[in-house]
Amino acid sequence: MNAEQYNEFGHSSSGTSSLHPSDAVKLQAAVQEIEKMVQIQSQLEIIKNMNAKCFERCIYKPSSSPLGNGERQCIAKCMDRFQDGLKVVNSTIMQRHRQEQLAAQDSAGMSL
């Protein structure tokens, strides 16, 4: 059995430049971890923006006393509106992504 040998740059002894299977698995795991970290960072940024916008919109006189009923209701409504807006944006992005995928599949099918 003749096992293919790979150097540190992913080049095989036959001259091809594919990754060794174990390196491909490591690369995929690293990509997934980075995607996860980016997603978490994005979610934290959204929460930070929502907090800042709703605080700015609903808290007129910051003080050490507890929030009043009106302020609490304003914050709750603001956060609900913000989340509803995010749902619309995410839905639109997903819909466009699906349309682009279908268009790419259609053009790939025509070129065959």
Side-chain angles (χ1 to χ4, degrees), residues 31-43:
V31 167
Q32 288 174 342
E33 185 64 27
I34 290 170
E35 287 173 345
K36 185 177 172 183
M37 289 169 45
V38 167
Q39 192 174 33
I40 290 170
Q41 187 62 38
S42 175
Q43 290 172 351

Side-chain angles (χ1 to χ4, degrees), residues 68-111:
N69 230 8
E71 290 171 323
R72 277 191 236 145
Q73 288 177 353
C74 179
I75 288 173
K77 286 179 183 177
C78 178
M79 294 175 93
D80 286 343
R81 276 189 246 118
F82 201 91
Q83 290 172 348
D84 288 344
L86 285 175
K87 286 177 188 174
V88 169
V89 169
N90 287 335
S91 174
T92 303
I93 289 171
M94 293 301 292
Q95 187 176 21
R96 286 184 184 170
H97 181 68
R98 275 189 239 114
Q99 289 171 346
E100 289 171 1
Q101 283 181 324
L102 289 173
Q105 288 173 355
D106 287 346
S107 66
M110 289 181 183
S111 64

